[in-house]
Amino acid sequence: NAGVTQTPKFQVLKTGQSMTLQCAQDMNHEYMSWYRQDPGMGLRLIHYSVGAGITDQGEVPNGYNVSRSTTEDFPLRLLSAAPSQTSVYFCASRATGSNEQFFGPGTRLTVL
Amino acid sequence: AQSVTQLDSHVSVSEGTPVLLRCNYSSSYSPSLFWYVQHPNKGLQLLLKYTSAATLVKGINGFEAEFKKSETSFHLTKPSAHMSDAAEYFCVVRPNNAGNMLTFGGGTRLMVKP
């Protein structure tokens, strides 16, 4: 199994540009989520999904959209990037009934 | 609501000496607790977890943590630090009714001196 994969690894955007961060998992996990990591703040939950077709907001959802059309994929969209969205983004997945989250390697995003 | 406080943002130890990384939590419901490690430019790796079984939890690489409900603490320890332990460590809480809602502490950067 590849586990949780994320693309791209690095991205630089200009303010106002849009882009999609990709996340995929091959473990048939129902739960998937997106976090952002900022210095001194740990990881904060942006959006999460409990299954295909179901998404919900986390702690810091503003400026981000998600969709979950398949069990495997959970893309994160930035419609109009802002410098405040400069961060490292992690995708994670978890099986129903399990406490263990599996994290992807992260995407480092810089918004100029 | 839940919260996690990692009491030290940086900890420096000498190789071969004990490691103590402190974590206090608050949770409205009986929690599951985790420690994750993140090496530079890497993703997060699960070190250990507490899920209401034994209060002393052993993890990978010689780390262990003790859940103390009366103190709302879940401190991470290791008897003897190794250079490869240098990394950032995150204490995480998940209330057992909270679905996917993990709450992370701010992280503790562990430095190991030769």
Side-chain angles (χ1 to χ4, degrees):
Chain A
N1 287 351
V4 181
T5 58
Q6 291 182 239
T7 56
K9 288 187 177 180
F10 301 95
Q11 183 70 51
V12 179
L13 294 176
K14 294 181 179 178
T15 297
Q17 287 185 311
S18 63
M19 81 159 295
T20 299
L21 279 63
Q22 302 291 346
C23 174
Q25 52 90 11
D26 61 357
M27 298 173 282
N28 203 32
H29 287 171
E30 295 82 4
Y31 288 99
M32 295 187 74
S33 49
W34 276 102
Y35 295 85
R36 59 177 289 172
Q37 182 181 26
D38 302 293
M41 304 184 76
L43 276 71
R44 292 179 293 167
L45 182 65
I46 303 171
H47 285 285
Y48 67 98
S49 169
V50 299
I54 306 170
T55 64
D56 207 346
Q57 295 181 347
E59 182 184 356
V60 288
N62 293 340
Y64 307 95
N65 285 344
V66 292
S67 59
R68 185 95 180 269
S69 56
T70 67
T71 299
E72 294 78 18
D73 300 298
F74 191 44
L76 178 72
R77 296 185 186 85
L78 285 71
L79 298 179
S80 179
S84 61
Q85 294 177 305
T86 294
S87 188
V88 181
Y89 292 84
F90 287 97
C91 180
S93 73
R94 176 174 71 85
T96 302
S98 169
N99 274 299
E100 184 171 355
Q101 294 253 4
F102 292 83
F103 286 85
T107 295
R108 187 175 294 275
L109 176 68
T110 300
V111 182
L112 302 175
Chain B
Q2 63 271 7
S3 66
V4 182
T5 301
Q6 291 183 240
L7 298 164
D8 307 293
S9 59
H10 293 82
V11 170
S12 181
V13 301
S14 297
E15 191 174 21
T17 64
V19 175
L20 169 63
L21 305 183
R22 299 182 293 166
C23 172
N24 286 101
Y25 71 93
S26 68
S27 176
S28 302
Y29 295 88
S30 176
S32 295
L33 293 156
F34 310 83
W35 277 97
Y36 281 86
V37 61
Q38 184 181 29
H39 288 92
N41 300 313
K42 300 287 187 183
L44 283 85
Q45 180 185 16
L46 180 66
L47 268 181
L48 50 80
K49 59 183 177 182
Y50 165 78
T51 56
S52 77
T55 57
L56 182 62
V57 181
K58 294 188 183 300
I60 61 172
N61 300 335
F63 284 94
E64 60 182 40
E66 186 171 7
F67 173 68
K68 292 187 176 181
K69 186 176 181 179
S70 61
E71 299 176 9
T72 60
S73 70
F74 191 57
H75 300 335
L76 181 71
T77 60
K78 182 173 180 177
S80 176
H82 192 274
M83 294 297 291
S84 61
D85 295 328
E88 188 148 23
Y89 293 79
F90 293 96
C91 183
V92 182
V93 65
R94 174 176 170 257
N96 283 329
N97 72 330
N100 210 35
M101 298 293 284
L102 298 182
T103 298
F104 283 74
T108 298
R109 183 165 296 281
L110 175 66
M111 293 167 283
V112 182
K113 297 175 291 187

